[in-house]
Amino acid sequence: MEMRLHDVPFQQIKDGIKTVEMRLNDEKRQKLKVGNYIDFVHTQDDTNRVKAKVVALHYYSTFKALLSGNLFDKCGCNGYTVESAAECMYQYYAPEQERLYGVVGIEIELVSGNQI
């Protein structure tokens, strides 16, 4: 599976700072299983990629609920509060989508030699 990321979250994953990617639990993410691989692709440069293995999937009804637990520090949200980090996700997803699908925290580990 491929997922596109903007510069900051991409770099955080690449540097091992961000180990949980937050996404809407839509049809695409519902197919994810522990053990699958994700190719994270920089939105501005398709050749800049990082490969990671899914080690856990954490399901919540809202981004705020996901961030309120023990995953906050793994989501690359330094400098944010739970509320402001959850609000940032609405740049990408409408609250109606969140209510319809719920959210998933995709816990990953980088694959050795992760540049692909």
Side-chain angles (χ1 to χ4, degrees):
M1 178 177 291
E2 184 176 291
M3 293 187 193
R4 301 182 68 74
L5 291 170
H6 292 287
D7 189 55
V8 172
F10 180 86
Q11 198 60 49
Q12 288 177 323
I13 285 178
K14 186 175 179 178
D15 293 343
I17 296 166
K18 179 177 176 153
T19 58
V20 172
E21 172 63 11
M22 297 183 294
R23 294 288 173 126
L24 199 67
N25 191 32
D26 58 11
E27 291 91 353
K28 180 178 178 180
R29 261 57 70 163
Q30 290 171 17
K31 295 176 184 174
L32 269 178
K33 305 281 186 242
V34 171
N36 287 164
Y37 291 91
I38 300 172
D39 294 327
F40 290 102
V41 182
H42 193 287
T43 55
Q44 301 300 311
D45 178 4
D46 285 350
T47 65
N48 199 1
R49 297 170 171 258
V50 175
K51 188 170 191 167
K53 183 177 183 179
V54 177
V55 295
L57 296 164
H58 307 276
Y59 299 99
Y60 292 87
S61 57
T62 65
F63 289 110
K64 186 175 179 180
L66 185 155
L67 290 161
S68 295
N70 61 350
L71 299 177
F72 184 84
D73 291 337
K74 297 177 179 185
C75 291
C77 296
N78 297 351
Y80 289 90
T81 64
V82 167
E83 290 77 15
S84 64
E87 192 66 31
C88 284
M89 294 306 293
Y90 298 130
Q91 296 174 49
Y92 309 105
Y93 305 114
E96 295 77 25
Q97 292 174 298
E98 180 186 53
R99 282 192 291 279
L100 179 63
Y101 293 110
V103 302
V104 60
I106 305 164
E107 194 161 357
I108 57 165
E109 64 182 26
L110 294 178
V111 174
S112 182
N114 58 39
Q115 287 302 106
I116 58 171

